[in-house]
Structures are given as structure tokens and as C-alpha cells.
Amino acid sequence: MDFSIPVPLYMIKAAHELLKTVEEHRYYINCLQVEVKDDAALLIATNGSIMLVQSIDLDAEIGRGSFTIPRKVLDQLPKATKSNRDELYELSESSAQGPDLSFGWKPEKIDYPNWRRVLPSDGYEKAFAKYDPKYILLFSKIAKTLHAPSCQILPNSEPHPALVTFDGVEQAFGVVMPIKMTEHSTKKPFEIWEQEVQEEAA
């Protein structure tokens, strides 16, 4: 079944902000994953270290399935502005149709990873969870795109990822993986930025 999902431009732009950080060789996540379940759809964007999930309520039940939108397609969409942020683009497995832009592409069969099983990193200092400041800043930028006053990074102690919530925005959340200490030369990378939490904290 060929699903067509109406997506506000600002939600596409928010996902695109994250996808711009994906390394080109990671082709299997260099795309926007769209998952449909009856009368709702999810937009999933990840680079393997962070993830943004957004939900959309549909007008009717259209079935279940999933498809991907290549990042190169999202690169071509107009920039969001105050006047067009809510304009809808109909996204499907092979086309994008909306204001000022309508085009198609040949769909690719990509084995998208099971994003619901976010695996923790390992090898970092016990009893602390540390999150890369560049990703915290990125989520602050995404919050502005979503018109959220701010975002909250909620550490969950090692070895778990942190939850990101957006103030006043219920249809989106994010995930940030902890830093692997073995990837850095210093014992406490980004000490002035790091968010520390005791191991027993929830």
C-alpha cells in the first residue's frame, strides 16, 4: 500500500537539522523513517548518537507500514519561515508534493535499524552519564524550529541514554546517547558542559 502522509514543513525541518549530522557512509540511517500505524504516523531521524521522534495524527485509519525519505530529498525543501512553517507536504515512498515543490524518486529498500532498542554506550566512567554538548546545542536549535520555548535534557544515569523533552510540544521527543570515555583523551571531556548524575538516580 502506498501511504501518503501530510507533514507540516516545520517538522520536516526539525528532522532535517538532525539528519544533516549523519555521516554519508551510513546510508541506512541517512534518511527520514516514516512509520504508519492506523490513524497516526511517526517521523524518526537518527545519526546513531541522537534521535528525534515526532508523531502526527491522521484524519483516518490508513493501515500500517513504513517507508523512508532520502536526506537529499529533504535538502531540497524550502526553508521554514513564519509564513509557511505550517504548510503541508504530502510524503510517500516515492514522492513529495507541497507548496512550490513537487517531485518524485525511485524508492530504495533500506533495512532501517530497530530504533526502539537504543543501545547504551560502554567504557565510560562509572556512576556518571555524560552527553556531548554539541548535541545538546543541536536539540536547542531543534526546539526553536518546533516553536518550543526550550528543551530539557533528562539524564537517566549510566549506562542509559538521556531523554529530551520540548516544553509545550507533546508530539516530539529526543534521545541522546552518553559519551564513550574511550573516545576522548581526557578523563572528563567537556567538564564545564557535562551533565553528571549519580548512578542510582532515575
Side-chain angles (χ1 to χ4, degrees):
M1 183 175 181
D2 188 15
F3 300 101
S4 181
I5 309 300
V7 182
L9 181 58
Y10 76 90
M11 298 181 77
I12 296 174
K13 183 172 174 60
H16 185 239
E17 288 291 348
L18 190 154
L19 289 173
K20 287 191 295 187
T21 69
V22 179
E23 298 173 3
E24 285 293 335
H25 69 275
R26 304 184 76 172
Y27 65 92
Y28 53 95
I29 57 175
N30 201 354
C31 56
L32 177 66
Q33 172 80 351
V34 181
E35 296 189 2
V36 183
K37 183 179 180 181
D38 300 329
D39 61 351
L42 293 176
L43 308 178
I44 302 101
T46 183
N47 68 0
S49 296
I50 57 176
M51 179 170 62
L52 175 67
V53 181
Q54 302 177 84
S55 66
I56 298 174
D57 293 329
L58 305 176
D59 292 334
E61 292 192 5
I62 62 174
R64 301 186 179 193
S66 64
F67 59 90
T68 59
I69 308 294
R71 191 183 87 182
K72 291 183 178 179
V73 171
L74 302 183
D75 291 342
Q76 299 180 52
L77 293 177
K79 293 182 178 179
T81 66
K82 291 182 180 179
S83 62
N84 69 8
R85 69 180 302 271
D86 294 321
E87 289 180 340
L88 296 178
Y89 279 80
E90 292 285 340
L91 301 183
S92 71
E93 186 175 19
S94 60
S95 67
Q97 299 181 12
D100 304 322
L101 190 64
S102 180
F103 59 96
W105 63 91
K106 184 178 180 180
E108 295 183 15
K109 295 299 181 182
I110 298 177
D111 188 15
Y112 200 82
N114 185 354
W115 58 272
R116 290 176 174 82
R117 297 185 61 187
V118 180
L119 300 177
S121 57
D122 54 12
Y124 53 89
E125 188 177 9
K126 190 175 181 180
F128 291 100
K130 300 176 175 64
Y131 306 96
D132 194 324
K134 69 182 178 184
Y135 291 140
I136 294 174
L137 291 173
L138 177 59
F139 273 117
S140 294
K141 186 175 182 179
I142 289 173
K144 291 181 180 179
T145 302
L146 296 174
H147 277 205
S150 61
C151 66
Q152 304 295 325
I153 311 294
L154 308 174
N156 198 25
S157 78
E158 66 90 20
H160 305 293
L163 176 67
V164 182
T165 59
F166 302 96
D167 296 337
V169 177
E170 297 182 355
Q171 77 272 20
F173 72 88
V175 171
V176 185
M177 297 302 297
I179 289 175
K180 291 185 179 181
M181 294 295 292
T182 53
E183 294 180 353
H184 302 274
S185 58
T186 57
K187 184 177 181 180
K188 290 188 175 183
F190 314 115
E191 184 170 356
I192 196 171
W193 284 90
E194 70 186 1
Q195 299 192 27
E196 300 181 344
V197 60
Q198 295 300 319
E199 186 175 11
E200 64 271 16

